[in-house]
Each structure stands twice: as structure tokens, then as C-alpha cells.
Amino acid sequence: MNPIEYKNNQLHIEKINIQELSNSNQTPFYCYSEESIINQYDGLYSAFDMDIKIFYAMKANSNLSIIKLLLNKGSGIDVVSGGEIERAIRAGAKGKDIIYSGIGKTDEELNYAIESKVHCINVESQSELIRINDISKSLGVKQNIAIRINPDVDAKTHIKITTGMAENKFGIEYDYTESIYKIAADLKNINIAGISVHIGSQITSLKPFKKAYTIMYDIIKNLRSIGHKIDHVDLGGGLGVSYTTEENIPTFKEYANLIQSIFGNADIKVYIEPGRLLVANSGLLITKVTDVKTTTQKTFIIVDAAMNDFIRPTLYGSYHEILPIKNNLGTSNKVYDIVGPICETGDYFAKNRKMNSVKIGSIIAIKSVGAYGSVQSSNYNSRPQIAEILVKDDKYEIIRERVEVKDLIKQEKIATWL
Ligand code: LLP
């Protein structure tokens, strides 16, 4: 059974009726189904016949409860900043559970990561490698590292989330692999643990993965032949999810089979770093219709959520299904623009979308917002961040309180000369 579905024409998340949830919690808010996240984790993990370690890319949804839930499942955590390390530790992660990825790591962040004994740092440049060595030396430790390779593969996804092409800022060009591993091997406070790659996000075909992973296989073979010990390969995240029922996304099994066919007999530990895949479809953004406005050209459904709460539609032109809370209002042939209250024409969730008729006060749900939803929210227009709710079966808890405007202003002051 799908954890988010209509029962008696009423939208439910697990056993919770969303109309009732929105009667007792101020809209807009995010809510997540725990069962959905568990199903995704278990489905992915059990698709592999080989040993694999999942490091959840917490940038997709970094709420402490979501991290804790995945840690409890046995997941590790992929982090990309000092802030994410702190959150992961707060949620109960140990250093050994953490892989530190990402470009532009500062000395302070590296220091914190090394002190926290993170399992591995994925290195993005030669100068970063040298800095890791220097910091490790000053702390009297030897740090595990993997070099992130840029395989120059087009992931055929949105241009803003493509990371594995030569023109992108990420990773080390693969022609330079041998020399950087040689440099790493000569550094006294560096331990070469593995190698990593991540070519992008919301990838909907296995072809780019196959290309990139085959390149990685060849590089590993070569590095080993010249004496480097490569204990693990970190294949990054990026497998897409379906945002509509029509999309044809590779299954867990197909993805796992591809990885197994390349690395199954390579005598290497395999890590993956999925983010979106684990959490995207667990989440709904619940929002209330504040106005319905018809002009000569359009009918606008104006809701109390806005682009500051959920920016994906306007930032990437992404499609998210929008569901009425009650499914028995009769279908309308009318199309609507579903928009927020922010003073920008870019503040929309959907354009020319067919919807059941709604009226002022109706509750609607924006689907598949569990990944890159709340984490990308801002306070634009002095709109405080909204609450997040985790649902398990017939119970729920608020896992992030709604922020108050006074808290937004707290850190500001009026300059003394004013
Ligand atoms: N590992 C690394 C090094 C990454 O940079 C990312 C995502 C992941 C793993 C996880 O990728 P996933 O499995 O979630 O595709 N804000 C954009 C997505 C940005 C992805 C950034 N990196 C969006 O809303 O589509």
C-alpha cells in the first residue's frame, strides 16, 4: 500500500487524515511518511546481492529526525559542510558513519571533520589534499581520503545539477588521477582509502552511470597495478525518482545489477550516496487556498505557501503533482496557475494545471517535496520557516517547530548611529 493515498476520497499520509492534520496545525507545513522512507531504504538495500554501504546524502533533507531514522536503519551519512557534520553528530552519528564530500571545504571545516574522526574525506583538489595533510599533522592523526574523479560524463539531467562534466567545478580530471594518487601516497598524514565519483542528480537513465562507473573501474585497476591500495569506491548518489506516474525511472534492481556487473568481482567495498531517492516521495507540502482570482487570461489559485518555502518549481522548472485533499469535488476541465503570495511572478508551484475545483479555505498538497524542499527554504519576504511533521502509522510529531518572526529578527540590530 502506498503511504500517501486517498481513503474514502480523503487524502491520507499513512493513517493520518490530512484535512484533520491541517485543522490542528497551522498551514503551510511539510509532512513526511516514515514508512515511505523505510520502504525506499529497504528496497534499495535489498536490491543488491553484494555487500554495499549506503551513506544518505543528508543535504536532501537534514532534519535531525530524518537523519536519526536512517542511522537507525544502518545507513551512514554523506555530509558537505561543517554544519552538516554538526547536525549528523547531533542526530547520533559517529565519525565512522560520516563521509565528508563537497567542494570548497574551509580549514575550519576540515579541522572539525578530522577531529570528529570522519570515516573518509572525498578530496576535490590537490591543494585541499595538502591542507588535509597539514591539518591532520597538526592534530597528530592520519586521515582517510578518497579522491573525487570528474569522469567527464554528461548525466543528461538539469544543467544546474550536472556535476560530472569536465567544465563543472567538481572533482579531479581523470587524466590527472595517477599523479594526484602519487602525491597522496607520499603525504605522511594521509591514508588512501578509496576513490569517489558523483555525476549529478535526478538522473533518469542508467547509461551515464554505466559510462562513469566503467571509467572508475578502469581507473581503479590502473591505480592498483601501480601499487595503490584502493579499499572502497564511492559511487555518489543521483538516481532519479518519478515525480509523475508517467516517468520511466530505472528500478532499484536495475541500478543494483549495473553496479554489480561492474564491481561485483572487483574485490572492493562499494558505497553509494543517495539523497533524493530515499526521501523525495515521502513528503507533502500542505498549504491552504487563500484566494482564487480569475482574470481575462487565467485563473490563479493563491495559496499560503510560497517559493521561499519550496523553490524547486521556479528554480529548476520542476514538475510536482498537486492534489486536493478531498477527491470527491468532481473534476474540472479548467486549468489553473497555482501561485504563492510573494511579490514575484516566479513565485509559482504549477502553471496551466488541471485541478479539481477548490475554493478559499481548501487544503491542497504538493507532492514529492521530501528532498530538497525544506532544506532549500529561505526567509524571503520575512516569511519564517514552516513546521515539519513526521508521521508514523496513526501518530505524528512536529520535528521542526515553525519559526516566529521575532526569531528571524533576533540576530539583527539597528546600527548605533541611527
Ligand atoms: N553526493 C554528492 C557529492 C552530491 O553532491 C549529491 C547531491 C548527492 C550525493 C545526492 O544526490 P541525489 O541522490 O539526491 O540526487 N537541489 C537540487 C539537487 C542538488 C543535488 C546536489 N548534490 C534539486 O532540488 O533537484
Side-chain angles (χ1 to χ4, degrees), residues 265-280:
N265 297 318
D267 189 24
I268 196 159
K269 289 187 195 128
V270 174
Y271 301 162
I272 51 173
E273 299 171 353
R276 186 190 313 265
L277 196 56
L278 299 181
V279 293

Side-chain angles (χ1 to χ4, degrees), residues 16-144:
I16 302 272
N17 178 321
I18 296 203
Q19 180 67 57
E20 285 168 19
L21 192 62
S22 62
N23 291 343
S24 38
N25 292 278
Q26 193 184 337
T27 59
F29 58 84
Y30 281 100
C31 57
Y32 311 116
S33 154
E34 175 167 317
E35 186 188 332
S36 163
I37 299 173
I38 291 175
N39 287 348
Q40 290 299 100
Y41 183 89
D42 287 345
L44 179 61
Y45 188 73
S46 62
F48 287 86
D49 297 321
M50 66 190 276
D51 231 14
I52 182 122
K53 174 88 183 167
I54 296 175
F55 287 84
Y56 166 55
M58 65 173 275
K59 64 166 75 66
N61 187 323
S62 58
N63 187 289
L64 295 180
S65 287
I66 306 293
I67 302 171
K68 179 69 177 158
L69 170 62
L70 285 160
L71 281 170
N72 286 351
K73 292 296 298 173
S75 183
I77 307 292
D78 171 63
V79 305
V80 286
S81 69
E84 286 198 347
I85 298 175
E86 196 168 331
R87 268 179 183 274
I89 291 174
R90 215 36 123 68
K94 302 273 181 293
K96 69 171 175 45
D97 301 319
I98 298 175
I99 283 187
Y100 184 16
S101 307
I103 194 161
K105 304 173 186 85
T106 65
D107 285 353
E108 291 73 26
E109 288 177 309
L110 286 171
N111 200 78
Y112 180 40
I114 296 165
E115 269 184 336
S116 306
K117 301 189 168 54
V118 298
H119 170 55
C120 187
I121 300 179
N122 289 343
V123 178
E124 293 270 355
S125 72
Q126 184 178 323
S127 50
E128 184 180 302
L129 179 65
I130 306 292
R131 287 193 292 129
I132 295 170
N133 184 62
D134 291 347
I135 295 167
S136 302
K137 191 172 172 192
S138 73
L139 294 172
V141 296
K142 211 167 175 180
Q143 176 61 47
N144 277 350

Side-chain angles (χ1 to χ4, degrees), residues 385-403:
Q385 272 150 308
I386 61 180
E388 290 176 283
I389 291 173
L390 184 64
V391 175
K392 180 188 176 67
D393 208 29
D394 60 355
K395 66 175 184 218
Y396 74 85
E397 272 181 30
I398 295 176
I399 57 171
R400 186 180 68 191
E401 294 288 347
R402 190 185 176 78
V403 175

